[in-house]
Amino acid sequence: MAQSLSSFADLIRSVEHSAVHLEMRDTYAISNEDEGFAAWKRGHRLDPDDRESWWRPWLDLVQEVTAKGVVMRRARIVGEPHSEYIRYEHSFTFTNVAAGEEIRWLPRRQASDLTLPGNDFWLFDGRVVQFNVFDGDGRWAHTDETDQPAVARLCSTAFDAVWERAVPHEKYAI
C-alpha cells in the first residue's frame, strides 16, 4: 500500500495512547534524507542550541502528539560496529528526544534470542500495525497495514522485549 506523508501524519494524530516504532535495519536509503546525510558526511552536525535549524515537520508532529499525552517510543536494533548511516542517525536523534519521543538502542547481538517480525513496524494504540517494507538497498518499498489481534500482540511483545533490553539514547554512545 502506498501511503502519503499527510495520511501518516493524520494516523499519528488519531492515536489516543501510544505509538511505538521498531527499526531493525543498519542502512536506510530514504530520498528525503539524502541532502542531510551528505552534509553529515562532510562534517555538518546539528547544533542542540539552535532548534530553528532542525525543527522540521516530523518533530513538530511529535511535539503536538506527545503534548496531548500520547507516549511515543522508538527502539532501534543496530549492528556493531555501527554502519555509517546509524552513526548519522544517532547524531541527530537528540532532536527526536527534544520533541518528546523516547528512544532506545539495542545492539543486534543482544536480540538474537528474541522473536521479531520480519519488517520494521509502527504499532498504534496496541491495535493497528503498519509494517514498513524496504528493499535490499534500504529503499522504502511499501507499507502493509493490519489490525489482526494476533499480529498486534506479536509486535507488542517484540517491541516490549527489545525496549526492556535497550539502552536509552542519552546513555548509548557511538
Side-chain angles (χ1 to χ4, degrees):
M1 160 173 99
Q3 182 177 43
S4 71
L5 290 176
S6 63
S7 67
F8 184 73
D10 290 343
L11 180 58
I12 292 277
R13 284 185 180 101
S14 74
V15 171
E16 296 177 4
H17 306 288
S18 66
V20 301
H21 188 192
L22 183 61
E23 297 177 356
M24 298 181 284
R25 297 184 55 88
D26 287 319
T27 301
Y28 293 88
I30 309 299
S31 60
N32 68 351
E33 292 181 342
D34 289 347
E35 187 178 316
F37 192 24
W40 179 86
K41 288 179 185 179
R42 293 189 304 270
H44 174 74
R45 299 298 181 267
L46 296 178
D47 179 354
D49 296 324
D50 184 12
R51 280 186 182 225
E52 292 302 315
S53 71
W54 46 264
W55 209 256
R56 53 191 185 272
W58 171 251
L59 300 174
D60 290 337
L61 178 61
V62 170
Q63 187 175 29
E64 172 189 333
V65 170
T66 58
K68 70 177 191 176
V70 171
V71 175
M72 289 187 74
R73 297 184 298 163
R74 180 187 308 249
R76 294 177 171 141
I77 299 174
V78 295
E80 292 179 327
H82 302 102
S83 69
E84 187 175 43
Y85 180 86
I86 293 300
R87 292 192 315 272
Y88 159 68
E89 192 173 52
H90 187 273
S91 77
F92 67 79
T93 294
F94 73 89
T95 66
N96 298 71
V97 173
E101 267 189 276
E102 299 173 44
I103 299 180
R104 293 186 180 182
W105 303 80
L106 182 65
R108 189 171 316 285
R109 70 182 184 283
Q110 294 178 21
S112 295
D113 62 339
L114 299 178
T115 301
L116 301 169
N119 292 290
D120 292 6
F121 66 84
W122 279 93
L123 175 62
F124 303 105
D125 286 331
R127 295 184 332 250
V128 175
V129 180
Q130 277 199 345
F131 291 105
N132 295 318
V133 180
F134 295 88
D135 70 14
D137 293 323
R139 291 181 301 260
W140 178 82
H142 63 274
T143 298
D144 293 332
E145 185 175 306
T146 182
D147 61 0
Q148 294 178 19
V151 176
R153 277 192 305 277
L154 168 72
C155 291
S156 179
T157 299
F159 184 87
D160 289 346
V162 170
W163 190 258
E164 181 68 28
R165 291 183 184 181
V167 178
H169 175 70
E170 298 78 14
K171 295 180 179 179
Y172 188 74
I174 288 189

